[in-house]
């Protein structure tokens, strides 16, 4: 069963209109969403999945996520359209007291729903949840040259580049790639940016 004590999630489910007028529903993942999440990740191109932290096409991985939901550690916010998961955005929070004030965001979007504002909407929702619950800043990592849309969307949403980790990723052929670190300060910065 999901632990919900860390975040106030009374705003969900929430309807979100994309730039083309398509309606999606955002809601935190529940244990019953495992099969739909697995189906979603199977639609994400293999090259995109290559840069994720786990093999998200492995049913055991998704089953574990669904069975061990812990919103205090990782809050998955799923976007639904026509009965299918079309995006997954997760707010990760360290268990270490020295880092509890910083959240990390990861987002994956179905290819058919990209470039329509869905990733940006999820970034915004996760930033608002983090801000309302006392986090000071958010971190997003993206692979340079492979996740350019994600970097652009994050910068548009208020993230700023704070560093680069040269050669910290490799492409499918083994060529080194840089990791771009982007950060969004919360609190007054978020209020100002939203204005």
């Amino acid at each position: 069963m999901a632990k919900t004590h860390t975040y106030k999630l009374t705003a969900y489910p929430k309807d979100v209109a994309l730039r083309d007028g398509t309606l999606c529903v955002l809601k935190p993942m529940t244990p019953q969403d495992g099969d739909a999440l697995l189906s979603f990740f199977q639609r994400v191109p293999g090259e995109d999945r290559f840069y994720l932290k786990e093999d998200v096409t492995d049913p055991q991985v998704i089953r574990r996520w669904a069975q061990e939901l812990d919103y205090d550690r990782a809050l998955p916010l799923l976007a639904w359209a026509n009965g299918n998961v079309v995006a997954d955005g997760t707010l990760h929070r360290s268990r270490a007291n020295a880092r509890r004030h910083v959240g990390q965001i990861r987002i994956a979007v179905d290819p058919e729903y990209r470039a329509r504002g869905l990733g940006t909407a999820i970034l915004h929702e996760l930033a608002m949840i983090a801000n309302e619950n006392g986090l000071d800043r958010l971190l997003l990592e993206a692979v340079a040259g492979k996740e350019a849309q994600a970097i652009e969307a994050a910068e548009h949403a208020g993230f700023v580049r704070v560093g680069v980790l040269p050669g910290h990723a490799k492409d499918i052929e083994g060529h080194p790639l840089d990791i771009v670190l982007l950060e969004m300060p919360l609190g007054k910065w978020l209020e100002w940016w939203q204005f």
Side-chain angles (χ1 to χ4, degrees):
M1 186 65 153
K3 296 179 188 176
T4 58
H5 64 276
T6 298
Y7 300 108
K8 299 171 194 155
L9 301 172
T10 55
Y12 302 96
K14 180 187 267 188
D15 292 337
V16 174
L18 306 186
R19 285 193 286 253
D20 64 359
T22 301
L23 284 179
C24 292
V25 176
L26 301 181
K27 68 179 187 100
M29 181 179 172
T30 67
Q32 296 76 30
D33 297 332
D35 290 341
L37 185 61
L38 178 62
S39 178
F40 158 70
F41 279 123
Q42 290 171 337
R43 291 191 311 274
V44 173
E47 185 175 357
D48 294 354
R49 291 192 316 260
F50 181 77
Y51 299 102
L52 300 177
K53 296 193 185 257
E54 292 192 65
D55 179 2
V56 292
T57 61
D58 181 343
Q60 291 180 345
V61 169
I62 302 302
R63 190 175 306 116
R64 177 175 45 83
W65 288 3
Q67 291 172 351
E68 298 175 7
L69 277 173
D70 179 356
Y71 293 169
D72 189 39
R73 182 186 57 76
L75 171 63
L77 191 62
L78 303 180
W80 294 78
N82 301 316
N84 296 309
V85 173
V86 296
D88 169 33
T90 308
L91 173 60
H92 295 264
R93 194 168 185 181
S94 174
R95 292 175 196 243
N97 286 334
R99 296 184 182 180
R100 293 270 310 154
H101 64 289
V102 178
Q104 186 170 11
I105 289 183
R106 298 181 193 141
I107 296 177
V109 178
D110 186 306
E112 291 186 28
Y113 285 81
R114 293 179 186 171
R116 295 160 73 176
L118 181 55
T120 302
I122 293 172
L123 272 174
H124 177 265
E125 289 296 321
L126 292 174
M128 296 305 291
I129 291 169
N131 189 58
E132 290 169 3
N133 288 279
L135 275 71
D136 293 340
R137 58 191 66 239
L138 294 175
L139 180 67
L140 187 142
E141 297 179 10
V143 179
K146 298 294 181 180
E147 298 178 314
Q149 279 186 319
I151 293 170
E152 184 179 329
E155 289 177 328
H156 180 72
F159 282 79
V160 294
R161 293 179 193 223
V162 293
V164 174
L165 301 173
H168 275 244
K170 290 188 177 182
D171 65 15
I172 293 174
E173 290 84 32
H175 301 111
L177 297 169
D178 296 345
I179 299 285
V180 177
L181 302 175
L182 300 110
E183 179 182 82
M184 174 188 276
L186 299 175
K188 293 293 183 190
W189 166 264
L190 184 62
E191 292 171 22
W192 173 81
W193 189 263
Q194 302 269 337
F195 188 81

